[in-house]
Amino acid sequence: PSLSEHTALRISFRASLVLMSTLIAWLVPNFGEFLGLVGSSICNVLGFILPCYFHLKVFGKEVTMTQAVLDYFLMIGGFIFGVFGTYTSFMRMINDDDDNDGGAASDGAE
């Protein structure tokens, strides 16, 4: 394909991704809670656990003790916060709280 066809293809692909994401966000109830669940579970693995694991596996014996301790610290911390975040997000998703007052606390007065 020519350069102009390639550019048109890229623009249409990007526009369709944005349109599809917008449609999904509009149609899926509690989309924010779903994104929180995905973010807390998957992003911790991709951002903390796997990079440290791969660093230890690739460099092996070249890793200093300080680097290894930091890698294990980040892996354990990523796991703990990932479990906590996933649990919290999951509980928010299944919570049947129909209170949509924007988070304002009720003082019981009427």
Side-chain angles (χ1 to χ4, degrees):
S2 68
L3 184 59
S4 61
E5 290 174 354
H6 182 68
T7 302
L9 183 64
R10 287 179 55 204
I11 290 172
S12 62
F13 180 71
R14 287 181 184 179
S16 65
L17 279 178
V18 169
L19 188 62
M20 187 172 55
S21 298
T22 303
L23 187 63
I24 290 171
W26 182 53
L27 292 176
V28 175
N30 300 327
F31 188 67
E33 283 84 4
F34 175 72
L35 282 181
L37 178 65
V38 170
S40 61
S41 57
I42 302 301
C43 291
N44 274 310
V45 173
L46 292 176
F48 291 102
I49 298 171
L50 288 180
C52 295
Y53 176 77
F54 292 146
H55 179 250
L56 290 170
K57 286 298 177 187
V58 168
F59 291 103
K61 297 182 191 249
E62 297 174 26
V63 175
T64 66
M65 181 59 110
T66 305
Q67 290 172 335
V69 167
L70 183 60
D71 281 340
Y72 284 114
F73 176 76
L74 288 173
M75 286 175 24
I76 292 168
F79 177 77
I80 290 170
F81 286 115
V83 168
F84 177 73
T86 301
Y87 173 77
T88 304
S89 297
F90 184 72
M91 294 309 289
R92 284 185 184 169
M93 280 183 65
I94 63 170
N95 188 5
D96 291 331
D97 187 9
D98 292 328
D99 183 26
N100 290 328
D101 62 357
S106 174
D107 61 1
E110 295 186 27

